[in-house]
Amino acid sequence: MSFRCLDVARYVVAAAVTVLIMAVIVNAVKVVLRPESLQLSVVGGSIVSGGRFVTEPPPPQPPEVGLAFNMDLRALNPSGRARMYYVNITAYLFDKNTSASASSTPEDDSIFYIKPHDIAVLQQETVDSLVTAKVTKEQVTPPPYYDMLYNGSSISDVTLRLDGELVTEVNSRLNETRPMTSYYCEQLLVGGDSDDLKGRQDVICRQQGRS
Ligand SMILES: *[C@@H]1O[C@H](CO)[C@@H](O)[C@H](O)[C@H]1NC(C)=O
Ligand SMILES: *[C@@H]1O[C@H](CO)[C@@H](O)[C@H](O)[C@H]1NC(C)=O
Ligand SMILES: *[C@@H]1O[C@H](CO)[C@@H](O)[C@H](O)[C@H]1NC(C)=O
Ligand SMILES: *[C@@H]1O[C@H](CO)[C@@H](O)[C@H](O)[C@H]1NC(C)=O
């Protein structure tokens, strides 16, 4: 009787160990296969107003008046092996009434858009890029948004959509390119003064490949 109990106990332990080993193997495979990708975030969750600007081109052109903005875009490369580049980027700002991901004509549907510089991130590094923009009244749609921003108000719940090419340098001779890689950074605040920006969290951008 007691021998039988011991046998059963042995089987139970053996089964438990088998399950444990399988779980470890499955997890190890997951780690190896996990596609490591560039992570982007907007520091402080905001696109900060840089105030008004005036440029004076040579006459007879009239002086150009507009608004400046800047944003701190943080890029983290989690890979221990590959350099990553995010290039040919266009950044579109969408208000909360417009679907950033559904828009197939983002130039028209966005509040405004800009072309940030390319980003290059070494293995396991973080790079902060200061993205600056200068927009004129004609570039902002619908027009009430320009007036709001011009007069110091902010727009909340803005989604930033970044479209670009994600390049992973597998080794010094081989680049792997994902031509249409989008990031969505949600619930940003655009404009406003330093009081509006206090205590705002970084916004981590969601990645979506469309290759
Ligand atoms: C950059 O992206 C635009 C679309 O956003 C595309 O039309 C253009 O061909 C791209 N340029 C290069 C050099 O890949
Ligand atoms: C956004 O939609 C809300 C209703 O859902 C409406 O009241 C508001 O005027 C819209 N804003 C713009 C800028 O279209
Ligand atoms: C805001 O600024 C615009 C300039 O774009 C001006 O025409 C408008 O009168 C201002 N509106 C308010 C409510 O102050
Ligand atoms: C990979 O692409 C990046 C960005 O376009 C470029 O700077 C780099 O030289 C390329 N590397 C190779 C091996 O082609």
Side-chain angles (χ1 to χ4, degrees), residues 26-201:
V26 166
N27 272 312
V29 169
K30 263 197 215 153
V31 167
V32 169
L33 293 184
R34 185 179 55 204
E36 285 176 319
S37 194
L38 193 69
Q39 290 171 22
L40 297 181
S41 55
V42 177
V43 177
S46 48
I47 298 172
V48 185
S49 171
R52 302 169 190 177
F53 74 87
V54 181
T55 54
E56 287 176 10
Q61 285 134 290
E64 204 174 44
V65 182
L67 298 173
F69 295 95
N70 55 74
M71 158 177 84
D72 187 355
L73 188 63
R74 180 165 292 169
L76 164 71
N77 177 358
S79 169
R81 281 164 286 150
R83 264 183 215 199
M84 291 184 188
Y85 307 87
Y86 194 45
V87 301
N88 193 21
I89 311 167
T90 312
Y92 306 93
L93 273 65
F94 289 90
D95 69 11
K96 64 168 181 287
N97 290 9
T98 315
S99 166
S101 54
S103 170
S104 55
T105 51
E107 287 93 345
D108 300 331
D109 298 342
S110 56
I111 302 172
F112 63 82
Y113 65 95
I114 53 174
K115 293 280 301 173
H117 293 296
D118 293 351
I119 299 171
V121 196
L122 292 179
Q123 296 86 330
Q124 296 196 311
E125 282 209 351
T126 299
V127 170
D128 280 3
S129 308
L130 183 68
V131 178
T132 57
K134 280 185 170 179
V135 296
T136 59
K137 191 169 182 131
E138 294 71 44
Q139 290 171 314
V140 178
T141 50
Y145 280 137
Y146 184 86
D147 295 341
M148 282 174 68
L149 295 166
Y150 189 88
N151 296 315
S153 299
S154 56
I155 308 172
S156 57
D157 261 334
V158 169
T159 298
L160 175 73
R161 165 172 153 187
L162 299 157
D163 286 358
E165 257 172 64
L166 187 62
V167 180
T168 303
E169 198 171 72
V170 180
N171 60 47
S172 58
R173 285 179 312 276
L174 184 60
N175 264 349
E176 212 175 71
T177 302
R178 272 186 275 163
M180 286 296 271
T181 304
S182 298
Y183 289 86
Y184 298 93
C185 324
E186 287 163 347
Q187 297 197 316
L188 303 179
L189 187 74
V190 178
D193 58 28
S194 52
D195 278 346
D196 298 325
L197 305 173
K198 247 178 230 154
R200 285 186 62 88
Q201 306 273 317

